Amino acid sequence: MFQTITADIDARGVARLTLNRPEKHNALNAAMIAELTRAAQALGADPAVRVVILQAAGESFCAGGDLGWMRDQMAADGPTRAVEATKLALMLNALNICPKPVIGRIHGNAFGGGVGMMAVCDVAIGATPARFGLTETRLGLIPATIGPYVLARMGEALARRVFMSARLFGADEAVRLQLLARAVEVADLDAAIEAEVAPYLACAPGAVAEAKALARRLGPPIDQGVIEATIAALVARWESPEAAEGIAAFFDRRKPGWAR
């Protein structure tokens, strides 16, 4: 059914949605973006599903956007870039509005879009060796489509500490930034995830869905206007000379012109 992810549901109704491009550190490409959107919608609509665990195979949780996919956007025309940016934005939104509680099992590094995927989880638990970073500005890009979810999770004051510096930080700082709810040792991660899952299995599923929808409605608005603004911002940045230089420098294995 899927090529870049897996989706399994156990007898309790606990679904495990797994990013499954370990050889690419689960970087987001067009296929994964489409499959995650479909899976989020399907799991959200499945009455048998009570909880969704978002996790990943391999060493990393998610390395962000696949550089090959991003290079394709640099070579594309404006309308094509807008279509691809929209697909990315709608994938994040599909996870964010999923009526089932989404628990992030963050066992390894997460950068760029991977941080965005953590931010759309209702709660994320991370393993202490993991590192995180909003690394887009190193490539001349900006954390556009993930921005509303990162700001909703961290708040502006905390987000501004890491939103534009591309600085990497560890799990303990991610807790202080409110990106992670808890940081635990790898050996304790599954137990910590189970502790988050168990209470939901005693709750009324409909009430959980309505409570989540209410929390989203009362929180920072992430409506169609906000989403469209982030798409436009990403497309404009893809068209910038800095983005062209940043992506080219990455593939040429050299520093971009602005690096000191």
Side-chain angles (χ1 to χ4, degrees), residues 12 75 107 140 162-163 168 180 192 206 210 221 223 233 239 260:
R12 302 175 299 166
H107 75 290
V162 293
F163 197 72
L168 301 186
L180 291 178
E210 291 184 20
D223 56 19
E239 294 173 350
R260 297 291 183 268

Side-chain angles (χ1 to χ4, degrees), residues 115-135:
V115 173
M117 294 186 68
M118 293 168 61
V120 299
C121 295
D122 297 297
V123 60
I125 309 295
T128 50
R131 294 191 304 165
F132 310 95
L134 293 148
T135 51

Side-chain angles (χ1 to χ4, degrees), residues 202-221:
C203 295
V208 169
E210 291 184 20
K212 179 172 178 175
L214 180 61
R216 288 191 295 102
R217 191 157 61 245
L218 297 176

